[in-house]
Short mmCIF file of all heavy atoms in Angstrom, two decimals:
data_model
loop_
_atom_site.label_atom_id
_atom_site.label_comp_id
_atom_site.label_asym_id
_atom_site.label_seq_id
_atom_site.Cartn_x
_atom_site.Cartn_y
_atom_site.Cartn_z
N ASP A 994 -2.55 16.94 5.53
CA ASP A 994 -1.64 16.73 6.62
C ASP A 994 -2.32 15.87 7.64
O ASP A 994 -2.78 16.32 8.66
CB ASP A 994 -1.26 18.15 7.20
CG ASP A 994 -0.16 18.03 8.28
OD1 ASP A 994 0.36 16.94 8.50
OD2 ASP A 994 0.11 19.01 8.96
N ASP A 995 -2.36 14.62 7.30
CA ASP A 995 -3.19 13.61 8.08
C ASP A 995 -2.27 12.56 8.62
O ASP A 995 -1.42 11.97 7.94
CB ASP A 995 -4.16 13.02 7.08
CG ASP A 995 -5.27 12.13 7.74
OD1 ASP A 995 -4.85 11.24 8.51
OD2 ASP A 995 -6.42 12.33 7.52
N PRO A 996 -2.33 12.31 9.93
CA PRO A 996 -1.51 11.32 10.57
C PRO A 996 -1.61 9.92 10.00
O PRO A 996 -0.67 9.12 9.99
CB PRO A 996 -1.89 11.30 12.07
CG PRO A 996 -3.22 11.93 12.09
CD PRO A 996 -3.25 12.92 10.92
N ARG A 997 -2.80 9.62 9.44
CA ARG A 997 -2.96 8.31 8.78
C ARG A 997 -2.15 8.21 7.50
O ARG A 997 -1.55 7.17 7.18
CB ARG A 997 -4.40 8.06 8.43
CG ARG A 997 -5.37 8.10 9.66
CD ARG A 997 -6.82 8.07 9.22
NE ARG A 997 -7.12 9.27 8.48
CZ ARG A 997 -8.30 9.50 7.86
NH1 ARG A 997 -9.29 8.59 8.00
NH2 ARG A 997 -8.52 10.59 7.22
N LEU A 998 -2.03 9.37 6.76
CA LEU A 998 -1.12 9.36 5.65
C LEU A 998 0.36 9.39 5.98
O LEU A 998 1.18 8.80 5.28
CB LEU A 998 -1.44 10.63 4.78
CG LEU A 998 -2.64 10.66 3.81
CD1 LEU A 998 -2.68 11.90 3.00
CD2 LEU A 998 -2.62 9.45 2.95
N GLN A 999 0.66 10.07 7.10
CA GLN A 999 2.06 10.13 7.51
C GLN A 999 2.55 8.73 7.84
O GLN A 999 3.71 8.33 7.56
CB GLN A 999 2.29 11.07 8.63
CG GLN A 999 3.74 11.31 9.02
CD GLN A 999 3.92 12.41 10.04
OE1 GLN A 999 2.96 12.72 10.83
NE2 GLN A 999 5.05 13.06 10.07
N ARG A 1000 1.69 7.93 8.54
CA ARG A 1000 2.06 6.56 8.88
C ARG A 1000 2.30 5.75 7.55
O ARG A 1000 3.30 5.01 7.48
CB ARG A 1000 0.91 5.99 9.66
CG ARG A 1000 1.11 4.58 10.15
CD ARG A 1000 0.03 4.15 11.05
NE ARG A 1000 -1.34 4.19 10.42
CZ ARG A 1000 -2.45 3.96 11.03
NH1 ARG A 1000 -2.49 3.62 12.31
NH2 ARG A 1000 -3.59 4.01 10.41
N MET A 1001 1.50 6.00 6.53
CA MET A 1001 1.69 5.35 5.26
C MET A 1001 3.03 5.79 4.65
O MET A 1001 3.78 4.98 4.05
CB MET A 1001 0.60 5.62 4.32
CG MET A 1001 0.64 4.91 3.00
SD MET A 1001 -0.74 5.40 1.88
CE MET A 1001 -2.17 4.79 2.79
N ALA A 1002 3.36 7.07 4.75
CA ALA A 1002 4.64 7.51 4.17
C ALA A 1002 5.82 6.91 4.83
O ALA A 1002 6.83 6.55 4.15
CB ALA A 1002 4.69 9.04 4.36
N VAL A 1003 5.73 6.64 6.18
CA VAL A 1003 6.83 5.93 6.83
C VAL A 1003 6.96 4.50 6.42
O VAL A 1003 8.06 3.99 6.14
CB VAL A 1003 6.70 6.11 8.35
CG1 VAL A 1003 7.80 5.30 9.09
CG2 VAL A 1003 6.73 7.50 8.80
N LEU A 1004 5.82 3.84 6.25
CA LEU A 1004 5.81 2.49 5.74
C LEU A 1004 6.47 2.42 4.37
O LEU A 1004 7.23 1.47 4.09
CB LEU A 1004 4.38 1.91 5.64
CG LEU A 1004 4.25 0.54 5.01
CD1 LEU A 1004 4.94 -0.52 5.87
CD2 LEU A 1004 2.80 0.21 4.79
N ASP A 1005 6.14 3.43 3.49
CA ASP A 1005 6.74 3.39 2.18
C ASP A 1005 8.25 3.46 2.16
O ASP A 1005 8.93 2.92 1.27
CB ASP A 1005 6.16 4.56 1.32
CG ASP A 1005 4.69 4.25 0.88
OD1 ASP A 1005 4.23 3.07 0.93
OD2 ASP A 1005 4.01 5.18 0.49
N ILE A 1006 8.80 4.17 3.15
CA ILE A 1006 10.24 4.29 3.26
C ILE A 1006 10.75 2.88 3.61
O ILE A 1006 11.76 2.40 3.01
CB ILE A 1006 10.68 5.30 4.38
CG1 ILE A 1006 10.17 6.69 4.00
CG2 ILE A 1006 12.18 5.26 4.50
CD1 ILE A 1006 10.30 7.65 5.14
N LEU A 1007 10.15 2.26 4.57
CA LEU A 1007 10.61 0.93 5.01
C LEU A 1007 10.60 -0.12 3.90
O LEU A 1007 11.51 -0.88 3.74
CB LEU A 1007 9.75 0.41 6.19
CG LEU A 1007 9.91 1.19 7.48
CD1 LEU A 1007 8.77 0.80 8.48
CD2 LEU A 1007 11.23 0.95 8.10
N ILE A 1008 9.46 -0.11 3.11
CA ILE A 1008 9.31 -1.18 2.09
C ILE A 1008 9.90 -0.67 0.72
O ILE A 1008 9.82 -1.42 -0.24
CB ILE A 1008 7.86 -1.59 1.92
CG1 ILE A 1008 6.94 -0.45 1.51
CG2 ILE A 1008 7.39 -2.23 3.23
CD1 ILE A 1008 5.48 -0.92 1.23
N ASN A 1009 10.40 0.59 0.74
CA ASN A 1009 11.07 1.12 -0.45
C ASN A 1009 10.06 1.06 -1.64
O ASN A 1009 10.32 0.50 -2.67
CB ASN A 1009 12.31 0.26 -0.84
CG ASN A 1009 13.20 0.89 -1.80
OD1 ASN A 1009 13.14 2.12 -2.07
ND2 ASN A 1009 14.11 0.15 -2.37
N ASN A 1010 8.93 1.69 -1.43
CA ASN A 1010 7.81 1.71 -2.41
C ASN A 1010 8.14 2.52 -3.62
O ASN A 1010 8.34 3.72 -3.52
CB ASN A 1010 6.52 2.26 -1.76
CG ASN A 1010 5.32 1.94 -2.59
OD1 ASN A 1010 5.36 1.57 -3.73
ND2 ASN A 1010 4.14 2.13 -1.93
N ALA A 1011 8.17 1.88 -4.79
CA ALA A 1011 8.52 2.51 -6.01
C ALA A 1011 7.27 3.06 -6.72
O ALA A 1011 7.39 3.59 -7.87
CB ALA A 1011 9.33 1.57 -6.91
N ASP A 1012 6.12 3.00 -6.19
CA ASP A 1012 4.91 3.30 -6.92
C ASP A 1012 3.74 3.73 -6.00
O ASP A 1012 2.64 3.24 -6.16
CB ASP A 1012 4.54 2.04 -7.72
CG ASP A 1012 3.47 2.39 -8.83
OD1 ASP A 1012 3.59 3.44 -9.39
OD2 ASP A 1012 2.59 1.53 -9.11
N ARG A 1013 3.96 4.73 -5.15
CA ARG A 1013 2.85 5.19 -4.27
C ARG A 1013 2.14 6.28 -5.06
O ARG A 1013 2.41 7.51 -4.89
CB ARG A 1013 3.38 5.72 -2.95
CG ARG A 1013 2.24 6.38 -2.05
CD ARG A 1013 1.17 5.39 -1.75
NE ARG A 1013 1.59 4.44 -0.72
CZ ARG A 1013 1.08 3.28 -0.51
NH1 ARG A 1013 0.03 2.88 -1.29
NH2 ARG A 1013 1.55 2.45 0.47
N LYS A 1014 1.20 5.91 -5.87
CA LYS A 1014 0.35 6.83 -6.61
C LYS A 1014 -0.79 7.32 -5.70
O LYS A 1014 -1.15 6.68 -4.71
CB LYS A 1014 -0.31 6.13 -7.85
CG LYS A 1014 0.72 5.75 -8.90
CD LYS A 1014 -0.03 5.12 -10.09
CE LYS A 1014 0.85 4.98 -11.34
NZ LYS A 1014 1.95 3.95 -11.12
N GLY A 1015 -1.44 8.42 -6.13
CA GLY A 1015 -2.58 8.95 -5.37
C GLY A 1015 -3.72 7.97 -5.39
O GLY A 1015 -4.46 7.86 -4.36
#
Side-chain angles (χ1 to χ4, degrees):
D994 185 7
D995 189 307
R997 300 170 299 175
L998 280 186
Q999 188 173 24
R1000 183 172 59 183
M1001 184 183 296
V1003 176
L1004 174 67
D1005 284 344
I1006 300 168
L1007 292 168
I1008 62 176
N1009 195 15
N1010 193 346
D1012 195 35
R1013 176 61 74 203
K1014 293 181 169 69

